[in-house]
Amino acid sequence: MGYLLLNPVRRISHKPEQILQPYLQSGMKAIDFGCAMGYFSLPMARMAGKSGSVYCFDIQQKMLSKLTSRALKHGLSDIIKPILINDEADIYENLKESIDFVLLFAVAHEVPDQQKLFTDLAMMMKPGSLMLFAEPAGHVSQSEFEQSLKYAGLAGLEKAEEKTINRSMSTLLRKRQD
């Protein structure tokens, strides 16, 4: 499945640079949650630059290994920080309120406990920071997407603006500053 996500034809509808450019700048710390082999991670690393970091979370070591070799090949291995998701809570705690931007693209529906997912991601985000949240239209129903947005709200995230991404239900969320 990981190789399918890297398919160059995907760039017709999901151009990472175009989708992410408004939200990522040099020096930022970002998360690509559910990164797989890095379709978005490598462009994110280029945007964050040498003074930034992109924390790439996945549940499969095989995906992270491929991401690591791709990052090395593209000269981005100092920026890409692969993190295997496991039951250790400290992997999230170590990044508490340090993240400028989170990408949660076509993965929330795969997570068994979405309320915990949004709570963990919000805990890592700086107040006022942004999350681009998108789910695949047709695969995830509108009501399921709305339920995810409720979990995001409970975690302290609010809608910042509507976002249009091909074949996706998407929105930009902001961590409340209260």
Side-chain angles (χ1 to χ4, degrees), residues 26-56:
S26 181
M28 284 185 154
K29 287 185 177 182
I31 289 176
D32 183 2
F33 193 90
C35 63
M37 294 180 354
Y39 180 78
F40 286 101
S41 307
L42 298 185
M44 289 173 75
R46 286 186 200 97
M47 290 179 208
K50 298 242 181 258
S51 59
S53 299
V54 179
Y55 298 90
C56 302

Side-chain angles (χ1 to χ4, degrees), residues 151-171:
Y151 291 138
L154 292 171
L157 303 171
E158 59 192 6
K159 280 188 185 180
E161 68 182 59
E162 293 297 321
K163 180 74 179 162
T164 302
I165 299 174
N166 287 338
R167 300 182 329 202
S168 301
M169 292 176 283
S170 54
T171 192

Side-chain angles (χ1 to χ4, degrees), residues 67-175:
L67 167 64
T68 300
S69 66
R70 292 183 68 233
L72 186 60
K73 177 182 173 186
H74 292 275
L76 300 168
S77 59
D78 291 341
I79 303 164
I80 297 280
K81 314 291 184 199
I83 300 174
L84 181 65
I85 299 169
N86 54 30
D87 294 332
E88 298 173 29
D90 64 337
I91 62 174
Y92 301 117
E93 188 68 32
N94 292 337
L95 294 172
K96 187 174 184 176
E97 292 194 351
S98 68
I99 300 301
D100 300 296
F101 176 75
V102 173
L103 178 65
L104 188 60
F105 200 95
V107 70
H109 67 277
E110 301 282 350
V111 177
D113 188 347
Q114 283 192 36
Q115 187 167 0
K116 181 176 179 346
L117 169 66
F118 282 102
T119 299
D120 289 341
L121 291 172
M123 182 262 301
M124 291 184 278
M125 297 168 69
K126 292 177 181 176
S129 62
L130 298 173
M131 173 190 289
L132 180 56
F133 171 51
E135 290 284 54
H139 186 71
V140 173
S141 70
Q142 185 65 40
S143 63
E144 290 169 322
F145 187 71
E146 302 275 333
Q147 182 60 53
S148 296
L149 291 175
K150 287 180 185 173
Y151 291 138
L154 292 171
L157 303 171
E158 59 192 6
K159 280 188 185 180
E161 68 182 59
E162 293 297 321
K163 180 74 179 162
T164 302
I165 299 174
N166 287 338
R167 300 182 329 202
S168 301
M169 292 176 283
S170 54
T171 192
L172 188 66
L173 302 169
R174 181 183 321 277
K175 183 174 180 181

